[in-house]
Amino acid sequence: MTKRLFLCYRRTVHLNMKRKVICEFTILQKYLNSFWNKILACWLGKSVNYRQLSHNQSFPTTTMISSPPPADASAGSNSGFSGNLAATCCCDHSNDSSEDVVSLKISLLGDNQIGKTSFLTKYVGKEKVDEGFSTKGVNQMDKTLCVRGTRISYSMWEVKGDVSGPTQIPMACKDSVAMFFMFDLTSRCTLSSVLSWHQQARQWNQTAIPVMIGTKFDDFVKLPLDLQWTIASQARTYAKALNATLFFSSATYNINVNKIFKFTTAKLFNLPWPLERNLTIGEPIIDF
């Protein structure tokens, strides 16, 4: 009987010590994560307050392409701006004066083979892929849309992730009103590269709105849930350090593609548009 009591006592002590170690490790891990977030924030610099664009502000005029916006699978049939911001539409203004157009530039940055081109062509429309131009290190496509009676021409500059890409960052980022920092949700190394792309881009543009976009969500959901949680947690940490809104997207299934541009438009013109936060693992995350 005494031996049994002794063994029970030893097990109890062992379990208590194990719980204590796990508790202390959890606290230490939270402290280290908090400390790492502060280091990232200090390294990347303070957040920037972005200016409100007026309707008569314009950037260098670009060739316009009129194309019907594809429906966003994640938003349903009523995926346009609601309330004070009318749904976006496409108009044929080929005979109108370019002075009536607000020309805005958006930069897309990220590693090679992460789906930047697919994301861009999904938004512009597949039939318009050949309408843009491609030079060494940069792809450029345009799209014109109407918002509340104002015609907006988006000139979208995709910086290639190959060797020649980084040398084109100054050209692509200068005068941009928004910068999309993109990564492959199934490749953690491309997520880590976002910090480097951000650091390089900010050398040439301190005012553009930052948006962080994880691509290939359709492949991401096939990963184990614990791995999805780890990647999503790391992506949210990086987005917070960059002071950027985070979207998970899929060009294949048109998930959040249109929504990202609608969010950017509302942000640029200070127009109200309700954006719902979604942090549910297994669903396309939106965090801000």
Side-chain angles (χ1 to χ4, degrees), residues 159-209:
V159 178
K160 297 178 182 177
D162 56 19
V163 177
S164 61
T167 62
Q168 304 301 325
I169 289 179
M171 178 178 65
C173 294
K174 186 178 179 182
D175 294 331
S176 290
V177 295
M179 294 191 291
F180 295 171
F181 299 99
M182 306 180 69
F183 65 98
D184 182 348
L185 284 166
T186 64
S187 173
R188 296 180 69 178
C189 64
T190 65
L191 173 56
S192 299
S193 296
V194 165
L195 299 178
S196 176
W197 285 103
H198 179 270
Q199 186 180 36
Q200 295 179 72
R202 282 305 189 199
Q203 293 178 12
W204 304 98
N205 190 320
Q206 290 289 326
T207 59
I209 294 173

Side-chain angles (χ1 to χ4, degrees), residues 107-123 158-159 180-192 194 211-223 228 231-232 235 245-257 260-261 283-286:
S107 306
L108 287 77
L109 305 102
D111 287 353
N112 203 23
Q113 301 296 323
I114 62 171
K116 297 192 300 293
T117 303
S118 298
F119 173 87
L120 194 52
T121 54
K122 176 61 71 174
Y123 178 65
E158 174 205 342
V159 178
F180 295 171
F181 299 99
M182 306 180 69
F183 65 98
D184 182 348
L185 284 166
T186 64
S187 173
R188 296 180 69 178
C189 64
T190 65
L191 173 56
S192 299
V194 165
V211 181
M212 193 166 155
I213 303 171
T215 62
K216 303 182 182 179
F217 176 75
D218 50 308
D219 292 329
F220 175 72
V221 292
K222 299 174 185 176
L223 300 177
Q228 289 186 46
I231 295 173
T245 301
L246 174 66
F247 290 89
F248 284 11
S249 70
S250 168
T252 303
Y253 293 94
N254 204 5
I255 297 173
N256 280 343
V257 175
I260 290 169
F261 284 92
E283 297 182 11
I285 283 179
I286 299 177

Side-chain angles (χ1 to χ4, degrees), residues 17-118:
M17 289 183 64
K18 187 175 182 180
R19 286 172 185 164
K20 185 177 180 181
V21 170
I22 291 174
C23 182
E24 290 178 350
F25 178 77
T26 302
I27 294 172
L28 178 62
Q29 188 177 35
K30 289 182 179 178
Y31 175 78
L32 290 175
N33 287 338
S34 176
F35 183 67
W36 174 243
N37 289 344
K38 289 180 181 179
I39 291 177
L40 282 176
C42 293
W43 179 55
L44 294 169
K46 296 181 180 179
S47 60
V48 181
N49 292 323
Y50 300 103
R51 64 188 183 280
Q52 176 182 350
L53 298 178
S54 61
H55 281 259
N56 58 5
Q57 181 176 357
S58 63
F59 291 83
T61 304
T62 56
T63 304
M64 295 178 296
I65 296 173
S66 295
S67 59
D72 195 326
S74 64
S77 58
N78 297 320
S79 60
F81 294 108
S82 60
N84 295 319
L85 188 57
T88 57
C89 65
C90 185
C91 310
D92 184 5
H93 298 288
S94 56
N95 296 324
D96 294 341
S97 170
S98 61
E99 294 179 358
D100 298 329
V101 179
V102 178
S103 298
L104 302 174
K105 182 179 178 183
I106 296 177
S107 306
L108 287 77
L109 305 102
D111 287 353
N112 203 23
Q113 301 296 323
I114 62 171
K116 297 192 300 293
T117 303
S118 298

